[in-house]
Amino acid sequence: MARMRDGWSLGDAPSLDGRVAIVTGATGGIGYETALGLARRGATTILASRNQAKGDSAVARIRRALPKADARFEALDLNSLASVARFADRIQAAHPAIAILVNNAGVMGFPQRLLTEDGFERQIGVNYLAHFALTARLSHALQQAEGGGRVVEVASLAHRRATLDLGDLQSERDYNPFRAYGQSKLAMLVFAIELERRSLQHGWKLCSVAAHPGWSRTDIVFNGPGQGAPGLKEKVMAFGFNALAQSARDGALPSLFAAMAAEAKGGGYYGPTLLAETRGPVGPSVIMPQAADPATASRLWTLSEQLTGVSFGQSSEAG
């Protein structure tokens, strides 16, 4: 990965030889570039996603680029909490210690309100609730990593204008595609900060860091509005966004920084630093007040445990 001006680059990252890293949504775009970067630093890299064919293709691409890479695909459908549980059980059985978990996968902007297998509005369900459950289920293995594990929550610039409606987290009263997306990404940032706070409070051996890719060319804009015969507005938006955006490789740099850099602080939020954080070298990002309210974070945490049926505290304290 090329150095972005005088900023942090992948060459500045430490060796990850012998350490295990997981990236969700890793078969394309920023997730793939994140997995490639981790593999380049020597990590045993698990590409977690729902599509076997795309997963096999992504692993083959990594191995062509890095013939000695230790990378493999593992099926994970974030539309299903049962799939999350099966994935966590398989991974922990094979890897008692996990050094890095990058919660990257996401969906965006479905024109109609769609549901996950568990009945959650799909954006909050896939982007946030499934990742909350996955992190909780893997928390024991994360704490077994040498020096403690690191969790990276991939948020978005969309959090800036978003609000958390904990009384209607599922957008049942009033569904708006991009409001629901913004809420899901705000929830990810709130979770990242609250996970670090609770980790310090309870002495959990893990570090939680958030990142965002700025404006980056990925499939997410097309995969959301692209569902269900998008209109001209959605097509123009997607085309314009990708025409102005930086590459997925550059967009992955904040996630890689959050996952590996010694300078990345627990509870921190990192992204591009130029042009209103849409592109450029990695540095600290703006956290809006609605993402940093402890009372809201505590309520979201409790609600997330209730909705997913996973008690993060029990899972972590057992470790």
Side-chain angles (χ1 to χ4, degrees):
M1 183 176 293
R3 180 180 291 272
M4 297 174 66
R5 297 191 180 182
D6 295 325
W8 187 89
S9 76
L10 189 59
D12 299 317
S15 168
L16 296 177
D17 290 350
R19 296 169 74 80
V20 177
I22 301 169
V23 183
T24 68
T27 59
I30 290 168
Y32 170 79
E33 294 294 344
T34 302
L36 177 63
L38 291 166
R40 197 176 294 278
R41 300 309 299 163
T44 295
T45 307
I46 298 170
L47 286 71
S49 194
R50 62 187 298 184
N51 189 303
Q52 181 77 47
K54 288 184 177 180
D56 291 343
S57 176
V59 170
R61 287 171 62 198
I62 287 176
R63 289 177 176 166
R64 284 196 297 271
L66 306 169
K68 296 183 179 180
D70 184 0
R72 75 167 190 272
F73 171 79
E74 284 283 349
L76 171 64
D77 185 356
L78 294 171
N79 277 288
S80 165
L81 291 178
S83 177
V84 170
R86 290 192 297 269
F87 173 86
D89 287 346
R90 288 198 315 273
I91 295 302
Q92 290 184 111
H95 303 286
I98 298 169
I100 297 167
L101 170 62
V102 182
N103 289 325
N104 164 82
V107 293
M108 175 183 178
F110 298 110
Q112 292 82 35
R113 182 177 178 271
L114 303 177
L115 303 180
T116 69
E117 180 181 291
D118 303 284
F120 304 137
E121 186 279 315
R122 192 171 294 182
Q123 292 182 89
I124 197 70
V126 170
N127 297 357
Y128 169 63
L129 288 170
H131 282 126
F132 178 93
L134 177 64
T135 306
R137 290 187 178 278
L138 292 177
S139 61
H140 177 78
L142 284 161
Q143 293 185 78
Q144 304 312 303
E146 183 179 355
R150 192 177 294 198
V151 181
V152 177
E153 309 289 358
V154 179
S156 168
L157 286 170
H159 100 272
R160 291 186 174 189
R161 291 191 286 181
T163 57
L164 269 179
D165 185 350
L166 297 181
D168 190 27
L169 196 64
Q170 309 300 329
S171 301
E172 294 174 290
R173 290 198 301 265
D174 181 21
Y175 177 75
N176 175 282
F178 297 104
R179 186 164 59 238
Y181 175 74
Q183 177 171 245
S184 73
K185 286 300 183 177
L186 173 57
M188 286 289 274
L189 183 52
V190 171
F191 173 46
I193 296 169
E194 180 67 3
L195 177 56
E196 178 65 16
R197 188 189 71 78
R198 293 190 181 224
S199 179
L200 293 172
Q201 179 183 1
H202 297 296
W204 299 341
K205 296 179 181 178
L206 59 83
C207 175
S208 175
V209 188
H212 77 85
W215 282 14
S216 300
R217 287 189 294 276
T218 73
D219 292 334
I220 191 171
V221 175
F222 292 100
N223 289 343
Q227 302 287 318
L232 179 61
K233 178 181 177 181
E234 287 80 8
K235 290 179 179 179
V236 170
M237 178 201 70
F239 178 82
F241 181 92
N242 282 284
L244 295 172
Q246 64 182 353
S247 69
R249 178 168 292 189
D250 287 341
L253 201 60
S255 293
L256 290 166
F257 177 87
M260 292 186 282
E263 305 96 306
K265 305 301 182 183
Y269 183 39
Y270 300 94
T273 53
L274 300 180
L275 298 176
E277 297 186 10
T278 60
R279 60 177 62 240
V282 178
S285 291
V286 173
I287 299 174
M288 299 302 286
Q290 63 267 31
D293 177 49
T296 298
S298 181
R299 290 174 59 207
L300 177 65
W301 188 283
T302 298
L303 180 59
S304 302
E305 289 186 328
Q306 292 170 350
L307 290 171
T308 63
V310 180
S311 177
F312 202 108
Q314 290 177 1
S315 178
S316 295
E317 288 165 6

